[in-house]
Amino acid sequence: MSAFDITEGGTPVDGAAWIAGGTTMVDLMKLGATAPSRLFDLGAQRDALSGISETSDTITLGALTTMADAAKHPAIRGLTAVHTALVQAASPQIREMATLGGNLLQRTRCSYFRDTRQPCNKRVPGSGCPAIGGEDGHHAVLGGSAQCIATYPGDFAVVCVALGAEITIRASDGSERKIPVQDLHRRPGATPHTETALQTGDLITAIHLPKGGAQSYIKIRDRASYAFATASAAVVLHMDGAMVTSARIALGGLATVPWRAATAEHVLKGSMIDQKTAFAAGEAALQDAHPTLTNAHRVELGIRAVAKAILSARGNSV
Amino acid sequence: MTLCINGADYPMPNDPRTTLLDHMREKLNLTGTKKGCDHGQCGACTVLVDGKRVLSCLQLAQTVRGDVTTIEGLSKNDTLHPMQAAFLEHDAYQCGFCTPGQIMSAVACVSEGHAGSDAEIADWMSGNLCRCAAYPQIRAAIASVAQAEAEG
Amino acid sequence: MQGHRIEGADKVRGLAKYTDDLRFATPPLIALTATSPVARGRVQIDTSAALALPGTRCVIDHTNAPRLKRAILISMCEPGTRMPLQSDQVEYAGQPVAIVVADSLHAARDALAALIVTIENHDAPAVVLSDAENRLKSVRRAGIGPGAMKKGDADAALADASVSAEVNAHAAPHHQNPMEPGAVVARWDPDGGVTVHAAVQWHHLDASMIGQAFGLSWADGMTGLLGRAVLGTSGKSKVRLHNQLSGGAFGRNISYLALLLAPIAAKVAGGPVKLVQSRRDTFSLMSHRSEVKQRLRVGADTDGKLKAIVLEPDIARGNAAFVEPIGEMPMQLYAHDTHRLTTRVAKLDLPGAGWMRGPGVAHAIFALEQAMDDLARQVGKDPLDIRLANYSEKNPANGKSWEAKALLEAYEVGAAKFGWRDRPKGGSVRPDGRVSGFGMASAIDLGRQFPAHATVTMTKDGRVVVSLAVSEMGQGLLTGLTGVVAEMTGVSPDRVEFKREATKEGYAAGSIGSTGTYSNAAAVKTAVEKIIKKLAKAGGLPKSSKLQDGMLVAPNGESAAISDLLSRTGDLTAKGRAGLTFGASKQAKASFGAVFCEMAVDPITLDVEVIRLVGAYDCGRVLQPKIARAQLIGAMIMGMGQALMEETRLDRKRGHWTNAEIGEALVPTQADCPHVEAHFVGDTQGKPGALDFKGIAETAIVGVSPAIASAFADATGGVVHHLPLNHAARLAAVSRAQFSFKEAAE
Ligand SMILES: Cc1cc2nc3c(=O)[nH]c(=O)nc-3n(C[C@H](O)[C@H](O)[C@H](O)COP(=O)(O)OP(=O)(O)OC[C@H]3O[C@@H](n4cnc5c(N)ncnc54)[C@H](O)[C@@H]3O)c2cc1C
Ligand code: SF4
Ligand code: FES
Ligand code: FES
């Protein structure tokens, strides 16, 4: 870990960064995958920036609310997909430390990114991407570029995208703006090191989750707990009787960003849900998938995750 | 600035890079807390901060806000904490390397109210790997403490 | 504390000290290892920036490391083939290329980060078998197992068989990954010897490795080792290897590189050094279980009775002589007429492979049991019945009779406890929409014995001191042996002391292959028998007298208090040796078992949950049932990990382990852990006076992966011959069309 100092007041300028729960930040600093010159400890603002409030159609969470606190709040228990995404993430200890704002901004688990002895365009722009043509079993099948195919690993952001959630951002000049979570993450394109729409000094202060809809989050992984998704799907359905009036679907573990599957939504809209439509929607969600060397099975896994999520969302609606 | 660990005050490390785990192990001679990975992936370094379980390997010492309890602070005088006694009784360890982390996590698991059933314990203890796989015995130990507490 | 492990109270208090927890009067400097990012090439290291840092003491690479001598290593681990830091040649990714030594952990990390490691003209490695066709060579021996075997004309019998099955099994490499990453402390002593603190599984072997490498006295080399083991001489050893508690091992803590790197660092630094391994380091500075392919064909008659077994394994090995001994066990499980074993081995550009629980046998039985299931399907028999039909009273490989074999009882007890005969049909839908599958398999592991040499002293004040550098790594050996010694000597367990640091009085058998208790107890027993003779002489009692409850008791009931006898003779010391023939005997010896699995499969996601694992095992005499059962259960759960998730992946171009982290190379969590039952069968009490121990944990890992694969096939019809049976493998075996899931999960 290279040298830095920690401060409580002020806003990061170039080369500096916020630290909230530190579960991504400290991990990556120890690996040497990131090396901020200065850390601005958000812990001091925890009281001001955490907590949960509710209106008739929205739940607002302070960005410093921990995953554990959010998961146990009755309002969140009502949003099945959100609750599932939170309690199936990481471990109880990490959820006590990790904040929701930090969670949205967690970085990829790409093994080359994490191993500083290997080249990586995201970590060292221009150094190359050994994952392409390398060991890519867990890399993205959607949204990749010739420079980077790193998977966005998180769960919560995927549900946020399916819900149509928004975040409030406070810029270093104190001004605030709201953007959809869907617009927060950037595909790698030619600049894989630019991961989000945030500017230096921007602080996520709150997350706004719309209520309502029959929803579900399905996380598929290679062990029962304490593992990132190999494929996941979040589904929010609005139904008129047995018919879907509108659907929102997002994929996790499969794409370079929390992935909105709009084509799949169109397949569902106006239809009755059964296994056939669920799989048809799954196939539509993955129709643009570009598997690389060894990750093709995750296309099928993604289809199945979407199908399962649709069927269980319908189950949750009754 | 000081750090309160097991009821005693210790100096903060000067180097902001120091994790709570390294500080305790390298400087304070509190080696009961173990390092299995140093990256949040095993749970061996679990301690309590104000009663909540956290991973001391991902916690920078200078950002600790609250009182830290480690395995060394669990037993009062010579009496084992009920969870320690239950681990001993149920043979809920083999090599013992994960054990301090398991016990700290188990104490929190019970106080959080997540020890209601075998399945619930399994879920809420999944952040503590045990390669010896003393898992069933760990569940039994925790269930016995939860039950004893429930019975008052 | 009766009933608890000897070191248990310390472990639950956080007071148990592992090597990295030790504190010394002179705090050691901290050393970290730099490793090669790629598999092949020549290394060059720019140390200037690292040396310029204030906390750096020195940097050691091939240019300034002491020259080490060759070591003959019967563990077959990497240092027997290549010593670290001896040349600029890089032969695998993760190879140690430099050590930094600094004042503190932080300073060492900074120094490591400041090293500039360049690997020149690296050519393409071969790290997986599919890239190494041209490196495969037929072998007569595969490690400790045979490479080639022949009984009758198996190929002809196979061709003539009414029923046949073929399994093409493939197992990915994986790592033991005990929870302790491990550290080694080394200090050179004024007499030119070296003091080392580390957790090792085979104390004297590794003391000898250090002695050979650094050219210390004859007593520290292979000759000294053999002298102690075979002749019972006690040498003047200059290698003082203090065996520390081990935070798990599972075969990994044998002859590992850090045992040499730490003394190298201490030599150059000129003071005591603690070399700390990061979790990532352990993936390449220590061993792994290598990749194995097996083509197995079996032929049977219409009743499913085996006529021929033809096994053709291709085994990967890395930079060590060790080869996964696939061929050792599969011909010893079932009755059969003919067999042929033809093994090929490819040396890959990887770290040395090594020992892991159930070496060879775990993979071999996976393939064999899959073939048995296939035969069962073809002849219309229940999986259990086909195994009963092929039960062999004698060892089918060599016709020897077994010392003891309660496999039939294991089948019976296991099946009864599980409810095998009344199980629902495979594929039936559970209330939660998932489908059920049931599978079973047999387990076997060879009983081995290794040489051991103990020194036992009975003191006037009523203590029994045993010098034997045994390893305690969670298997409960200390507690178990203490019990054995207490029983043999008639004193209470709290009066038994183990001197585990002894370097010359005792040669402990390695704790490998579940042989530790048996091998070491045998040596202790010989020593105690000698003491009894001396006591008997002093008391005028017959030599056949026994020690019981503080008394020496003659067969006719006459007795004398041990304390009285000892006050006459003074402290009595005797040496005992055993296992010099490695347990060779007229009879064959193995542990046996049967394991049963219930699984639930989500038909849409193909998520699997192992609901129950029930095993019944004949492990011979059971010393401490609680500890022994814990061993079985732990190994069964590890078997489940091996079946479902454990794999360390490789980059085929650069040659490195990619998921070299404990959270990425998955092992089972608490939430994966099913309901597990382990039952003992056979003669668990043992014959009076005999040791009768057999291996425990090694046996219980065997059979679990095939039982799980079998349950998956039962549920879905999808046959998976690949380990682990992760989503990729399951999806390949079960297409959407093939697996109807009409009622599922709605
Ligand atoms: C072993 C392991 C397993 C995990 N498994 C999962 C999993 O299964 N699913 C899952 O979803 N996640 C998982 N995670 C990720 C974990 O949830 C995140 O690390 C955590 O949520 C990050 O939150 P934090 O508060 O600790 O963020 P920090 O580490 O403090 O910060 C993360 C990033 O966000 C920035 N940041 C933090 N807060 C703000 C803010 N309010 N405004 C602007 N920038 C901010 C920081 O500068 C930093 O760049 C896992 C992590 C680990 C270590
Ligand atoms: S996929 Fe992206 S993060 Fe991974 S190595 Fe390539 S550039 Fe780096
Ligand atoms: S050491 Fe902290 S989680 Fe492993
Ligand atoms: S007791 Fe060994 S890792 Fe848990």
Side-chain angles (χ1 to χ4, degrees), chain B residues 53-86:
Chain B
R53 40 177 160 167
V54 304
L55 299 177
S56 58
C57 72
L58 291 183
Q59 179 80 53
L60 296 176
Q62 291 191 1
T63 66
V64 173
R65 289 184 169 72
D67 293 352
V68 179
T69 311
T70 71
I71 190 75
E72 291 97 341
L74 217 49
S75 37
K76 294 280 170 299
N77 305 319
D78 259 357
T79 327
L80 293 181
H81 183 281
M83 192 61 80
Q84 292 171 312

Side-chain angles (χ1 to χ4, degrees), chain C residues 158-317:
Chain C
L158 185 64
D160 288 347
S162 337
V163 194
S164 65
E166 172 163 352
V167 169
N168 284 289
H170 178 247
H174 64 142
H175 280 78
Q176 303 90 338
N177 263 327
M179 288 312 298
E180 180 193 20
V184 176
V185 181
R187 180 192 74 214
W188 287 87
D189 300 321
D191 69 349
V194 65
T195 298
V196 178
H197 296 266
V200 294
Q201 273 176 263
W202 199 342
H203 180 267
H204 281 69
L205 184 78
D206 285 344
S208 153
M209 172 179 82
I210 297 169
Q212 292 179 67
F214 290 94
L216 298 174
S217 78
W218 69 270
D220 299 306
M222 202 60 198
T223 15
L225 177 74
L226 290 174
R228 275 198 294 285
V230 181
L231 305 172
T233 54
S234 47
K236 290 195 167 42
S237 177
K238 287 186 175 177
V239 180
R240 292 140 193 135
L241 175 56
H242 297 242
N243 201 0
Q244 303 296 336
L245 275 185
S246 182
F250 316 114
R252 188 195 74 168
N253 289 2
I254 301 178
S255 310
Y256 52 99
L257 293 175
L259 293 170
L260 300 166
L261 296 174
I264 290 176
K267 190 141 222 172
V268 179
V273 164
K274 172 162 76 179
L275 185 123
V276 181
Q277 301 190 110
S278 70
R279 175 60 62 179
R280 191 183 284 279
D281 288 341
T282 65
F283 281 81
S284 65
L285 297 186
M286 305 181 99
S287 67
H288 61 277
R289 193 194 314 259
S290 65
E291 182 190 6
V292 175
K293 280 184 188 166
Q294 298 176 74
R295 181 178 188 217
L296 170 70
R297 287 168 295 162
V298 297
D301 64 16
T302 45
D303 282 338
K305 285 206 160 93
L306 287 170
K307 297 285 156 201
I309 304 176
V310 177
L311 176 59
E312 296 161 320
D314 285 349
I315 309 171
R317 79 173 173 88

Side-chain angles (χ1 to χ4, degrees), chain C residues 255-520:
Chain C
S255 310
Y256 52 99
L257 293 175
L259 293 170
L260 300 166
L261 296 174
I264 290 176
K267 190 141 222 172
V268 179
V273 164
K274 172 162 76 179
L275 185 123
V276 181
Q277 301 190 110
S278 70
R279 175 60 62 179
R280 191 183 284 279
D281 288 341
T282 65
F283 281 81
S284 65
L285 297 186
M286 305 181 99
S287 67
H288 61 277
R289 193 194 314 259
S290 65
E291 182 190 6
V292 175
K293 280 184 188 166
Q294 298 176 74
R295 181 178 188 217
L296 170 70
R297 287 168 295 162
V298 297
D301 64 16
T302 45
D303 282 338
K305 285 206 160 93
L306 287 170
K307 297 285 156 201
I309 304 176
V310 177
L311 176 59
E312 296 161 320
D314 285 349
I315 309 171
R317 79 173 173 88
N319 277 276
F322 180 89
V323 177
E324 189 77 9
I326 295 294
E328 189 174 37
M329 294 313 292
M331 310 307 180
Q332 307 198 38
L333 182 52
Y334 295 120
H336 60 276
D337 296 345
T338 63
H339 65 231
R340 172 168 68 79
L341 168 72
T342 309
T343 307
R344 298 188 299 174
V345 172
K347 177 174 180 277
L348 303 184
D349 303 314
L350 286 173
W355 305 87
M356 182 171 178
R357 254 192 189 164
V361 58
H363 281 343
I365 299 303
F366 174 73
L368 180 60
E369 292 297 75
Q370 298 268 72
M372 296 307 280
D373 278 357
D374 193 348
L375 286 184
R377 278 190 286 270
Q378 293 187 47
V379 301
K381 276 204 157 102
D382 184 271
L384 177 53
D385 293 327
I386 196 127
R387 284 156 176 96
L388 289 170
N390 285 290
Y391 176 79
S392 174
E393 196 53 47
K394 297 205 156 156
N395 184 330
N398 52 24
K400 282 187 183 181
S401 58
W402 298 103
E403 231 173 57
K405 177 174 183 178
L407 180 57
L408 289 176
E409 192 190 344
Y411 287 138
E412 192 185 313
V413 170
K417 298 281 182 191
F418 184 84
W420 177 256
R421 296 287 183 191
D422 318 313
R423 69 192 188 276
K425 211 168 132 351
S428 47
V429 180
R430 308 168 74 93
D432 62 9
R434 294 183 298 172
V435 293
S436 291
F438 301 87
M440 59 88 53
S442 312
I444 182 171
D445 193 32
L446 198 64
R448 273 178 258 271
Q449 189 181 0
F450 286 92
H453 175 149
T455 303
V456 178
T457 301
M458 288 189 81
T459 65
K460 283 185 290 185
D461 58 359
R463 289 171 303 126
V464 179
V465 182
V466 183
S467 289
L468 198 57
V470 294
S471 314
E472 178 52 62
M473 46 203 198
Q475 82 282 41
L477 184 61
L478 270 185
T479 310
L481 275 182
T482 301
V484 177
V485 173
E487 184 188 283
M488 287 176 190
T489 55
V491 305
S492 85
D494 58 1
R495 307 290 288 171
V496 177
E497 289 167 27
F498 269 88
K499 290 216 305 209
R500 299 168 58 226
E501 299 180 348
T503 49
K504 42 182 194 188
E505 300 95 333
Y507 168 89
S511 278
I512 61 172
S514 289
T515 57
T517 311
Y518 178 69
S519 307
N520 288 311

Side-chain angles (χ1 to χ4, degrees), chain B:
Chain B
M1 281 254 281
T2 57
L3 258 175
C4 177
I5 303 175
N6 301 329
D9 283 335
Y10 293 93
M12 268 295 179
N14 296 321
D15 191 332
R17 301 177 296 175
T18 313
T19 59
L20 176 59
L21 178 62
D22 279 347
H23 188 52
M24 294 192 304
R25 290 186 52 84
E26 304 293 316
K27 289 282 154 54
L28 309 181
N29 203 20
L30 291 166
T31 55
T33 310
K34 301 298 178 221
K35 183 189 285 185
C37 70
D38 214 15
H39 288 279
Q41 301 171 5
C42 75
C45 65
T46 305
V47 299
L48 305 182
V49 176
D50 285 347
K52 289 187 174 168
R53 40 177 160 167
V54 304
L55 299 177
S56 58
C57 72
L58 291 183
Q59 179 80 53
L60 296 176
Q62 291 191 1
T63 66
V64 173
R65 289 184 169 72
D67 293 352
V68 179
T69 311
T70 71
I71 190 75
E72 291 97 341
L74 217 49
S75 37
K76 294 280 170 299
N77 305 319
D78 259 357
T79 327
L80 293 181
H81 183 281
M83 192 61 80
Q84 292 171 312
F87 267 63
L88 199 58
E89 204 48 50
H90 290 264
D91 198 38
Y93 60 91
Q94 290 183 29
C95 76
F97 197 81
C98 73
T99 309
Q102 298 280 2
I103 291 177
M104 298 317 288
S105 197
V107 168
C109 181
V110 172
S111 70
E112 289 160 12
H114 288 139
S117 69
D118 206 47
E120 192 182 23
I121 296 172
D123 218 23
W124 288 87
M125 286 301 292
S126 63
N128 292 84
L129 301 182
C130 175
R131 188 57 166 153
C132 299
Y135 291 134
Q137 299 91 318
I138 292 171
R139 292 203 298 245
I142 298 173
S144 76
V145 173
Q147 202 181 346
E149 267 184 30
E151 287 162 5

Side-chain angles (χ1 to χ4, degrees), chain A residues 1 109 111-112 114 117-119 133 135 138 220-224 275 279 283 297 300-301 304 308, chain C residues 35 37 110 602-604 649-651 653-654 656 658 661 664 667 669 672 727 731 736 741 745-746:
Chain A
M1 234 194 281
R109 302 295 292 191
S111 77
Y112 303 93
R114 292 177 65 76
R117 299 168 308 172
Q118 311 301 334
E135 198 275 289
H138 289 72
I220 300 179
R221 41 188 164 172
D222 277 321
R223 71 178 175 197
Q275 281 208 6
F279 271 96
E283 279 175 358
H297 66 279
E300 173 66 16
L301 209 55
R304 289 170 181 253
K308 177 88 183 175
Chain C
T35 57
D110 289 344
D602 185 304
I604 296 184
R649 297 187 294 273
L650 285 155
D651 180 299
K653 288 186 188 150
R654 303 174 62 82
H656 66 289
T658 52
E661 302 187 63
E664 305 286 336
V667 297
T669 68
D672 293 282
H727 269 103
L731 286 166
R736 254 191 272 160
F741 37 77
E746 292 194 19

